């Protein structure tokens, strides 16, 4: 993909503050789309004490450390168990297993397939426009 190579070359050359502003703005847009995809794939337990709690706890954070990273997180106490699956233990014995939902992995894959190419192209176009 040519646009990713262009973006990588720009990062290697170092970014000025106005370039960082553009990249960070687009990274936040990407983060919002990733969270939306994760929420769509998160099950809502209708017979639980707090239906929709897991879905409400998705958020993202954009970090700049040598490059730009988008962290998609869920701070619900049991999010990892739903995403990765878990054993059911009663009386010290395993009586079953709840299969993984892989909400985050599916969300990232869906984002890559549907939005990533266009989002990177939009970011590069904004950077090119700003350089003129």
């Amino acid at each position: 993909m040519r646009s990713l190579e262009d973006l990588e070359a720009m990062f290697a050359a170092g970014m000025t503050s106005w370039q960082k502003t553009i990249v960070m703005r687009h990274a936040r847009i990407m983060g919002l789309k990733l969270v939306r995809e994760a929420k769509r794939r998160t099950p809502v337990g209708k017979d639980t004490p707090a239906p929709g709690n897991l879905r409400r706890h998705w958020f993202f954070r954009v970090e700049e450390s040598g490059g730009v990273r988008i962290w998609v997180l869920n701070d619900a106490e049991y999010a990892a168990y739903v995403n990765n699956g878990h054993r059911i233990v009663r009386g010290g014995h395993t009586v079953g297993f709840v299969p993984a939902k892989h909400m985050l992995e599916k969300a990232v894959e869906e984002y890559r397939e549907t939005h990533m190419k266009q989002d990177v192209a939009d970011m590069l176009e904004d950077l090119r426009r700003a350089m003129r």
Side-chain angles (χ1 to χ4, degrees):
M1 177 185 287
R2 182 73 183 135
S3 60
L4 285 177
E5 292 167 0
D6 292 343
L7 185 61
E8 190 174 69
M10 286 181 187
F11 283 136
M15 294 187 290
T16 63
S17 62
W18 60 267
Q19 289 171 322
K20 286 180 186 176
T21 303
I22 292 170
V23 170
M24 294 299 278
R25 182 177 67 232
H26 281 277
R28 284 189 291 277
I29 291 168
M30 291 175 186
L32 286 170
K33 289 180 181 180
L34 281 162
V35 166
R36 184 178 62 212
E37 291 295 336
K39 284 183 176 187
R40 280 184 348 121
R41 282 161 177 66
T42 302
V44 177
K46 294 181 182 19
D47 53 346
T48 61
N53 184 55
L54 186 59
R55 191 175 278 185
R56 282 191 298 273
H57 280 262
W58 284 108
F59 67 99
F60 74 95
R61 183 175 61 227
V62 178
E63 273 184 14
E64 181 187 346
S65 57
V68 177
R69 291 181 185 200
I70 303 169
W71 294 91
V72 179
L73 308 157
N74 191 315
D75 62 357
E77 208 173 283
Y78 53 94
Y81 301 113
V82 175
N83 191 62
N84 302 326
H86 60 91
R87 294 180 303 150
I88 300 172
V89 179
R90 292 197 182 113
H93 300 291
T94 301
V95 296
F97 183 79
V98 177
K101 300 293 183 190
H102 298 294
M103 307 164 292
L104 182 57
E105 293 85 351
K106 290 176 183 176
V108 170
E109 186 60 33
E110 179 68 22
Y111 174 78
R112 281 184 179 156
E113 290 174 4
T114 59
H115 302 293
M116 189 168 138
K117 189 174 182 178
Q118 185 61 47
D119 287 348
V120 170
D122 291 344
M123 183 189 322
L124 286 171
E125 184 56 34
D126 282 355
L127 287 167
R128 285 187 190 111
R129 234 182 281 133
M131 284 186 207
R132 291 183 198 154

